[in-house]
Amino acid sequence: MNLPRPSIAASPYFTPLITVLLLAVLLGAGGAAYPGFLSLQVMFNLLIDNAFLLVIAVGMSFVILSGGIDLSVGSVLALTTMICAYMLQTWHWNPLLVIAVALAVGTVFGAAMGAMIHYFKLQPFIVTLAGMFLARGLCYLISINSITIEDSFFVALSQTQLPIGDCFISPGALIALVTLAGAIYVAHCTPFGRAIYAIGGNEQSALMMGLRVARTKVLIYAFSGFCAALAGVLFSFYMLSGYGLHAQGTELDAIAAVVIGGTLLSGGYGYVAGALTGVLVLGSIQTLIAFDGTLSSWWTKIVIGGLLFIFCVVQRLMSLRGTKK
């Protein structure tokens, strides 16, 4: 019996491949138009400048794969920078203890939202929107002004350059890549990762299969909160300041990166590794505009918006093809 061969568009690798192809086109166009664009240091700079966004996108990937959304991550990042800056500059705590406290706050914040979403049967959009306002408001309870970080440990990490040949990479970028590698392993090689995909595919079916849905959902949002807090620590290294206005709109950039990376907004389908390609696409667009020098930075948002429309249409067409089968 001859079975019909599946089309390329129906392959689970189709959207990630399109993203990789898009990234190659952007880099190729930049290399052709601007000398030095494809230098190794410029490629490393894409990671250095977007390390915090990559970490947030990793946490957001888990949330979207489960069929949820987390709008609080940008505010949690800002809150983390304020906690770090205030504790370091006012209380003069040990920087490692400050980092541990900041990560714990983000994790507990995310877990609390996950518990509310599951046990009270609330929409993730509403709960995390409330979390976004709450975290941003807490920033201004700490201080309405920017707090400069002068701690020697943070300053040293901010200025550290890890050599790779004639180029360098920052500790923040290395931490982001390690976080990504760990998340890929968890998502694709552990029972917890399989449970995330099952819940995103159909939560009721996951319950009937005996999966620990409540525990998994709380851990998913706890992990997203942890990633947002870790991104806040990296952003503190990058900016050496805490400010309530830091990272405004970053949650939308993270969602865009995850969707462009090939993860379905409806959940249950996608690859955590797609967060990296999605972030690199956004970073490449920003770098192209910076190299051009004549375009407004707002063109970044315009291009990203257009890409999102295209990827959402592609995802919808793929889901319709799956329904017909």
Side-chain angles (χ1 to χ4, degrees):
M1 179 179 179
N2 294 325
L3 296 175
R5 297 178 62 184
S7 65
I8 297 177
S11 168
Y13 302 104
F14 178 70
T15 310
L17 284 175
I18 289 295
T19 306
V20 172
L21 179 61
L22 174 62
L23 178 61
V25 169
L26 289 172
L27 294 179
Y34 309 110
F37 184 88
L38 290 179
S39 67
L40 188 58
Q41 188 57 59
V42 171
M43 298 299 103
F44 284 153
N45 287 344
L46 286 178
L47 280 174
I48 294 170
D49 295 337
N50 295 284
F52 71 94
L53 180 58
L54 176 57
V55 173
I56 286 184
V58 167
M60 188 68 74
S61 295
F62 276 41
V63 173
I64 293 179
L65 282 171
S66 71
I69 201 76
D70 189 351
L71 299 178
S72 70
V73 290
S75 298
V76 172
L77 184 156
L79 178 60
T80 302
T81 66
M82 291 298 288
I83 290 173
C84 290
Y86 188 81
M87 288 182 173
L88 289 169
Q89 298 303 117
T90 304
W91 293 351
H92 305 290
W93 281 19
N94 183 284
L96 296 180
L97 179 59
V98 168
I99 292 172
V101 170
L103 294 179
V105 169
T107 303
V108 171
F109 194 90
M113 290 191 298
M116 291 182 65
I117 289 168
H118 180 77
Y119 291 109
F120 292 96
K121 308 301 179 186
L122 299 174
Q123 289 295 322
F125 181 91
I126 297 300
V127 174
T128 59
L129 181 65
M132 178 181 75
F133 289 129
L134 175 60
R136 192 69 70 172
L138 289 173
C139 291
Y140 297 108
L141 281 182
I142 298 173
S143 175
I144 61 174
N145 300 313
S146 175
I147 304 175
T148 301
I149 297 176
E150 299 174 347
D151 178 79
S152 59
F153 179 78
F154 273 64
V155 172
L157 279 177
S158 175
Q159 297 174 350
T160 296
Q161 297 178 349
L162 304 175
I164 301 179
D166 295 331
C167 304
F168 67 89
I169 196 168
S170 69
L174 187 60
I175 291 171
L177 291 175
V178 170
T179 303
L180 174 66
I184 291 173
Y185 174 80
V186 169
H188 302 294
C189 303
T190 67
F192 175 66
R194 290 189 285 273
I196 294 173
Y197 280 91
I199 292 171
N202 191 310
E203 186 172 331
Q204 292 303 315
S205 296
L207 279 169
M208 290 188 288
M209 290 168 60
L211 296 178
R212 303 173 68 177
V213 173
R215 173 179 174 271
T216 302
K217 288 181 74 172
V218 171
L219 286 176
I220 288 168
Y221 284 91
F223 180 69
S224 180
F226 170 83
C227 286
L230 178 59
V233 172
L234 299 184
F235 202 77
S236 298
F237 295 154
Y238 188 73
M239 299 294 292
L240 286 179
S241 69
Y243 191 30
L245 291 178
H246 277 333
Q248 285 192 316
T250 299
E251 58 278 348
L252 303 181
D253 290 336
I255 294 170
V258 172
V259 172
I260 291 173
T263 299
L264 285 181
L265 275 172
S266 56
Y269 177 99
Y271 300 93
V272 177
L276 175 61
T277 52
V279 167
L280 290 178
V281 165
L282 302 190
S284 298
I285 294 170
Q286 294 171 344
T287 305
L288 278 168
I289 291 173
F291 265 76
D292 181 87
T294 61
L295 296 174
S296 167
S297 61
W298 286 107
W299 274 102
T300 303
K301 302 297 183 183
I302 294 171
V303 174
I304 292 172
L307 285 176
L308 269 178
F309 275 123
I310 294 171
F311 275 84
C312 286
V313 170
V314 170
Q315 289 187 359
R316 181 57 179 164
L317 292 176
M318 290 176 63
S319 63
L320 289 175
R321 290 176 66 89
T323 302
K324 289 179 180 179
K325 291 182 180 181

